[in-house]
Amino acid sequence: VGDGARGTYTLSPREGESPAAADVCARATPLEPDTIVHGTTEGAADTLNGSCSTSRFPAPDVTYSLELRQPARVRVSVEAEGRWDTAVYVRTTGADPDSEAACNDDAEDRFHARALKTLAAGRYSVTVDGYSNGAPGPFSLQVETAPPAGRGVEGAACAGARPRAAGAEGKGGNIAGR
């Protein structure tokens, strides 16, 4: 509501302990690559914060785990389904902000976040967060993996690039070939 707005309201405080970051990461739901997960940050605690914004994401966040059995090029995509400002970050140690491997606040707009990084084999945390206090809501999350160099895919190397007419518009989306 704007400045100077007045009215009646009801507060409904909830008592509870905010979870420790290490506990959130230890209990994180596993992600399967190439599967879309639908979740929400509504009602979650603000436990973790990413580095790719000066606001540091003071909104509720939800953390998942990702196990890579071999090195891979990884793209993590988040779409806010409730038109809220979303963010995503990937860490090697969920509770340690210094272990952040990738962080993205806005991809094509503030309702999408996308992190792309080549990662070593191991366990990672993937956190969906909101940009500001008023940014919780439903989302879809997808993790895609490909070989680190994108080999074996048409157009993955300069020699295999497809020609494009000058001024022609196009969108890319193939993680394995980009």
Side-chain angles (χ1 to χ4, degrees), residues 9-10 28 52 75 89 98 118 142 152:
Y9 58 90
T10 303
C52 55
R75 179 169 57 196
Y89 36 95
D98 292 331
T118 300
Q142 183 175 22

Side-chain angles (χ1 to χ4, degrees), residues 78-86 110-113 137-140:
V78 176
E79 178 179 354
E81 295 175 348
R83 309 241 349 129
W84 54 282
D85 195 351
T86 184
R110 67 188 186 111
F111 310 117
H112 295 85
F139 61 85
S140 58

Side-chain angles (χ1 to χ4, degrees), residues 48-61:
L48 302 175
N49 301 294
S51 69
C52 55
S53 171
T54 55
S55 80
R56 299 290 194 236
F57 311 109
D61 49 73

Side-chain angles (χ1 to χ4, degrees), residues 28 38 47 55 60 73 119 154-155 175:
H38 296 279
T47 308
S55 80
R73 181 181 238 175
L119 300 172
E154 180 184 354
I175 181 177

Side-chain angles (χ1 to χ4, degrees), residues 50-74:
S51 69
C52 55
S53 171
T54 55
S55 80
R56 299 290 194 236
F57 311 109
D61 49 73
V62 177
T63 299
Y64 297 86
S65 65
L66 174 65
E67 185 79 32
L68 295 177
R69 297 192 195 325
Q70 58 192 20
R73 181 181 238 175
V74 177

Side-chain angles (χ1 to χ4, degrees), residues 1 8 14 33 45 62 70 96 115-117 126 158 160-161 163 176:
V1 183
T8 60
R14 287 189 297 160
V62 177
Q70 58 192 20
D96 181 6
L116 178 64
K117 184 80 174 183
V126 175
C158 290

